[in-house]
Amino acid sequence: MTSAIRHVTIDSSDAYALGSFWAEVLGQPLQEEDKPGDEEALIAGAGLLFVTVPETKSKKNRIHLDIQPQDRTRDEEVERLLALGATLVDDHRKPDGTGWAVLVDPEGNEFCVERSAGERAAD
């Protein structure tokens, strides 16, 4: 017998607000019943569960998400995410088009933006 990962759970100071940010990033909705002030918010299609906790983030995450744009370039996606409220914290993009960008969400959780499949295929 084996197990399956049901959710990746992300602690936050405001589950609904952080879940809403990630719903915009991924273009997937929060569950219809999730409302501001709820202790939990779920993006079921992505398996991401946001949970309100009293502690704040204090150090670098031991696990992070790597996202790959589906309908735009890596650099276009970075710009879109910055406009949504992310912050660029480390830039590993190279002049030849390879590499990735490290961003943080509004609560400081690190994530990477990789090249799109189209950009990878062009190599």
Side-chain angles (χ1 to χ4, degrees):
M1 209 176 236
T2 62
S3 295
I5 295 173
R6 182 169 177 217
H7 301 122
V8 174
T9 302
I10 300 171
D11 291 350
S12 62
S13 62
D14 183 336
Y16 185 83
L18 192 59
S20 295
F21 169 82
W22 280 99
E24 286 291 322
V25 169
L26 300 172
Q28 296 186 30
L30 289 174
Q31 282 193 298
E32 193 171 309
E33 62 268 16
D34 291 336
K35 304 287 183 242
D38 286 353
E39 296 288 311
E40 296 180 355
L42 176 64
I43 304 172
L48 295 178
L49 176 64
F50 300 88
V51 179
T52 300
V53 298
E55 331 53 66
T56 58
K57 183 176 180 294
S58 61
K59 55 187 167 186
K60 185 179 182 301
N61 296 357
R62 297 282 309 259
I63 188 170
H64 68 268
L65 303 175
D66 287 346
I67 64 171
Q68 183 180 47
Q70 300 300 296
D71 59 355
R72 59 185 56 95
T73 68
R74 174 202 56 212
D75 294 345
E76 291 168 337
E77 183 68 349
V78 167
E79 292 305 314
R80 184 180 80 88
L81 299 174
L82 293 173
L84 288 176
T87 302
L88 179 67
V89 295
D90 203 1
D91 199 336
H92 295 276
R93 294 177 283 184
K94 298 184 172 127
D96 67 359
T98 60
W100 65 95
V102 181
L103 286 77
V104 293
D105 68 20
E107 290 202 13
N109 299 300
E110 299 88 2
F111 65 99
C112 295
V113 181
E114 298 183 353
R115 295 183 300 158
S116 68
E119 290 173 294
R120 288 177 181 275
D123 282 345

